[in-house]
């Protein structure tokens, strides 16, 4: 079987699952809707399972086999996202797997509609090292020190919140005015550089 | 508190008792002690002792001063402390005119020495002030900023992509690290476009507020 979304050899159960999918008619769109809701919010596995159970109940199916079926179906959009497949390519794959034309067309149309959001999300999942999560700041005037009674220097304090693995780390620093203006200038240059790539 | 008491990293290997620079007025006893400088072989010798005393008491300085002035070590140590109190008093109160400094000395003080000390204090005050301000307690100070923009062309979640990302490296120096701590630290953070825009937004607001403050 030549498939766009994966180079792996799929277990036979996958073909069986797609053929079983053909048996659903009026229920198919709703099932696909549930599937895409999950793809758009991949962290909400419990909601997904719950919706599948409700669906199974409503249509006189057993929840367990339905879940297994969906696991097979999920392989296609998940692989397609990684490989940036078009709606046409995904439709071809579904047909190759045994899904009938109408259903494959419906699925790929939904894919096309949601592709932008799904893509953004996948890109958002891309590894970032020490991602800057938040920045807080305050500035003020140093009025005096133990060495010099009267001063009038402006200072700026920054707190950067950096994601390190599963937790965050706070980094505190102080900048003088010239350093602040330099920081601002450099960040503007970085932004200009990034905009070259858009 | 004197800065040499807080930061163990400063020069003097043997610290005598911490001197509270700010509040200590210069006593008449101090001025008496200062007249020991009349024994100095040259104006330059007076200048040297004044400048070195400003940093803080040290046994080495007391010894050198004792031999330069041919006075006992104990007296030299007192002289260094008195000079230290005087220079820090001038610094703390920002005495910047000759009249202000001359007014500190008692009537009976040797006139030429008084003028010389005043001149030395005025000459060095700007440097001492700059040093004090750059040495003051603060959060780690940003020393260097470097950045780089990468184009991410693939990842485990999307095999083909073209997304710019920005890496910023910040080098900070802690002016007063905790004992055993390092003074220079480096942090590298990664920012996506949106984060960078948000940061620029925040920095822009800071700049606007700064110009309001500067305008006042």
């Amino acid at each position: 079987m030549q498939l766009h979304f994966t180079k792996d050899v799929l277990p036979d159960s996958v073909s069986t699952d797609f053929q079983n999918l053909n048996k659903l008619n009026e229920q198919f769109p709703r099932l696909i809707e549930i599937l895409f809701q999950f793809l758009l919010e991949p962290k909400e596995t419990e909601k997904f399972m719950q919706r599948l159970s409700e669906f199974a109940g409503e249509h006189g199916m057993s929840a367990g086999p339905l879940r297994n079926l969906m696991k097979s179906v999920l392989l296609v959009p998940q692989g397609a996202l990684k490989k940036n497949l078009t709606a046409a390519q995904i439709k071809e794959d579904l047909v190759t797997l045994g899904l009938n034309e109408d259903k494959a067309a419906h699925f790929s149309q939904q894919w096309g509609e949601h592709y932008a959001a799904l893509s953004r999300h996948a890109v958002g999942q891309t590894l970032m090292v020490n991602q800057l999560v938040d920045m807080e700041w305050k500035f003020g005037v140093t009025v005096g020190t133990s060495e010099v009674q009267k001063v009038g220097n402006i200072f700026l304090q920054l707190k950067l919140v950096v994601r390190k693995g599963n937790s965050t780390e706070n980094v505190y620093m102080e900048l003088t005015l010239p350093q602040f203006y330099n920081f601002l200038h450099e960040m503007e240059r970085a932004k200009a550089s990034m905009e070259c790539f858009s | 508190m004197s800065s040499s008491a807080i930061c163990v990293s400063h020069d003097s290997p043997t610290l005598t008792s911490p001197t509270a620079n700010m509040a200590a007025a210069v006593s008449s006893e101090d001025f008496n002690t200062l007249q020991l400088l009349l024994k100095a072989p040259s104006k330059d010798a007076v200048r040297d002792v004044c400048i070195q005393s400003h940093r803080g008491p040290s046994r080495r300085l007391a010894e050198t001063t004792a031999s330069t002035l041919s006075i006992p070590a104990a007296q030299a140590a007192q002289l260094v402390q008195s000079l230290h109190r005087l220079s820090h008093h001038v610094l703390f109160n920002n005495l910047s005119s000759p009249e202000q400094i001359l007014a500190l000395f008692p009537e009976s003080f040797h006139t030429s020495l008084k003028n010389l000390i005043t001149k030395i204090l005025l000459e060095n005050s700007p440097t001492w002030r700059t040093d004090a301000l750059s040495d003051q307690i603060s959060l780690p100070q940003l020393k260097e900023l470097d950045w780089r923009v990468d184009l991410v062309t693939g990842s485990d979640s999307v095999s083909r992509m073209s997304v710019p990302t920005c890496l910023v490296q910040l080098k900070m120096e802690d002016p007063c690290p905790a004992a055993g701590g390092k003074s220079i630290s480096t942090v590298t953070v990664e920012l996506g476009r949106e984060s960078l825009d948000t940061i620029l937004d925040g920095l822009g607001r800071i700049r606007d507020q700064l110009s309001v403050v500067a305008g006042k």
Side-chain angles (χ1 to χ4, degrees):
Chain A
M1 231 192 281
Q2 280 278 32
L3 291 164
H4 298 293
F5 80 93
T6 182
K7 299 258 179 295
D8 296 339
V9 173
L10 298 170
D12 290 335
S13 53
V14 176
S15 288
T16 320
D17 285 328
F18 273 94
Q19 277 155 25
N20 284 334
L21 210 50
N22 282 327
K23 294 180 194 159
L24 299 173
N25 286 309
E26 322 81 44
Q27 309 100 320
F28 185 75
R30 170 65 191 147
L31 192 59
I32 297 309
E33 193 188 338
I34 296 177
L35 181 84
F36 275 93
Q37 276 172 341
F38 175 59
L39 287 172
L40 289 164
E41 291 176 322
K43 296 205 172 92
E44 304 286 346
T45 38
E46 280 204 27
K47 260 194 213 165
F48 179 53
M49 291 295 147
Q50 204 186 339
R51 286 187 187 131
L52 285 182
S53 299
E54 278 168 17
F55 181 90
E58 278 161 27
H59 300 282
M61 299 173 191
S62 326
L66 179 65
R67 269 187 239 135
N68 288 336
L69 179 104
M70 292 307 268
K71 275 192 202 151
S72 296
V73 178
L74 270 174
L75 292 174
V76 178
Q78 283 169 347
L81 258 181
K82 283 196 192 181
K83 303 227 170 170
N84 305 83
L85 294 188
T86 62
Q89 286 170 314
I90 223 185
K91 179 166 178 262
E92 268 179 46
D93 277 356
L94 290 168
V95 169
T96 311
L97 286 165
L99 196 63
N100 68 34
E101 275 279 339
D102 290 342
K103 295 192 168 70
H106 177 83
F107 192 106
S108 65
Q109 186 249 354
Q110 287 293 299
W111 174 257
E113 270 184 33
H114 294 294
Y115 184 64
L118 289 170
S119 226
R120 259 200 310 275
H121 189 273
V123 167
Q125 295 297 92
T126 298
L127 172 72
M128 274 192 114
V129 179
N130 286 0
Q131 185 182 11
L132 182 67
V133 172
D134 196 15
M135 177 176 87
E136 289 176 33
W137 49 264
K138 74 175 178 202
F139 71 86
V141 178
T142 300
V143 180
T145 77
S146 50
E147 297 295 310
V148 185
Q149 189 182 35
K150 284 203 194 114
V151 185
N153 297 344
I154 297 183
F155 67 84
L156 173 72
Q157 285 176 353
L158 286 183
K159 171 182 159 192
L160 303 177
V161 183
V162 180
R163 177 158 290 128
K164 293 214 162 203
N166 282 332
S167 60
T168 59
E169 183 184 305
N170 297 335
V171 178
Y172 298 92
M173 68 187 82
E174 196 164 309
L175 285 73
T176 61
L177 263 195
Q179 285 170 332
F180 163 72
Y181 285 114
N182 184 50
F183 185 36
L184 174 59
H185 178 64
E186 290 302 318
M187 291 296 98
E188 283 176 341
R189 287 176 70 205
K191 175 171 167 158
S193 180
M194 278 185 113
E195 293 197 321
C196 284
F197 293 109
S198 315
Chain B
M1 292 297 158
S2 105
S3 50
S4 53
I6 296 174
C7 300
V8 181
S9 53
H10 272 203
D11 51 357
S12 37
T14 47
L15 289 172
T16 54
S17 57
T19 48
N21 297 307
M22 42 170 201
V26 192
S27 66
S28 50
E29 216 182 287
D30 285 318
F31 284 110
N32 273 343
T33 313
L34 288 178
Q35 301 212 86
L36 286 167
L37 285 169
L38 290 167
K39 301 193 181 190
S42 66
K43 285 187 182 173
D44 281 338
V46 176
R47 184 169 280 114
D48 281 342
V49 186
C50 285
I51 292 176
Q52 291 187 47
S53 312
H54 182 79
R55 280 196 217 110
S58 94
R59 196 199 282 156
R60 199 182 34 80
L61 177 60
E63 282 169 4
T64 324
T65 308
S67 71
T68 313
L69 269 53
S70 307
I71 55 178
Q75 285 187 347
Q78 276 178 325
L79 174 60
V80 164
Q81 286 214 358
S82 298
L83 277 170
H84 183 84
R85 273 194 280 277
L86 178 61
S87 64
H88 279 266
H89 179 85
V90 168
L91 173 64
F92 184 75
N93 292 292
N94 197 24
L95 302 181
S96 47
S97 75
E99 296 75 33
Q100 285 173 312
I101 300 183
L102 289 167
L104 294 172
F105 291 81
E107 291 262 333
S108 55
F109 201 91
H110 188 283
T111 315
S112 316
L113 181 61
K114 176 172 71 174
N115 291 337
L116 176 61
I117 294 177
T118 302
K119 182 165 171 245
I120 294 170
L121 291 171
L122 282 171
E123 271 169 10
N124 289 282
S125 285
T127 313
W128 288 337
R129 188 184 164 92
T130 311
D131 287 347
L133 293 178
S134 66
D135 238 3
Q136 69 184 330
I137 58 172
S138 83
L139 293 178
Q141 291 174 342
L142 179 66
K143 287 295 175 198
E144 249 180 74
L145 172 78
D146 287 310
W147 58 267
R148 145 184 142 190
V149 168
D150 288 343
L151 190 63
V152 181
T153 55
S155 75
D156 60 318
S157 37
V158 183
S159 56
R160 261 186 7 250
M161 52 197 275
S162 177
V163 177
T165 188
C166 180
L167 287 165
V168 177
Q169 186 181 73
L170 304 149
K171 274 208 182 105
M172 293 159 316
E173 187 173 355
D174 192 343
C176 267
K182 281 177 295 188
S183 65
I184 301 214
S185 58
T186 306
V187 170
T188 306
V189 295
E190 187 171 347
L191 316 163
R193 259 191 92 183
E194 275 177 33
S195 302
L196 186 53
D197 284 339
T198 308
I199 287 194
L200 278 169
D201 201 47
L203 293 180
R205 271 183 282 147
I206 297 174
R207 182 196 48 208
D208 294 340
Q209 291 191 29
L210 282 172
S211 27
V212 169
V213 168
K216 283 196 179 127

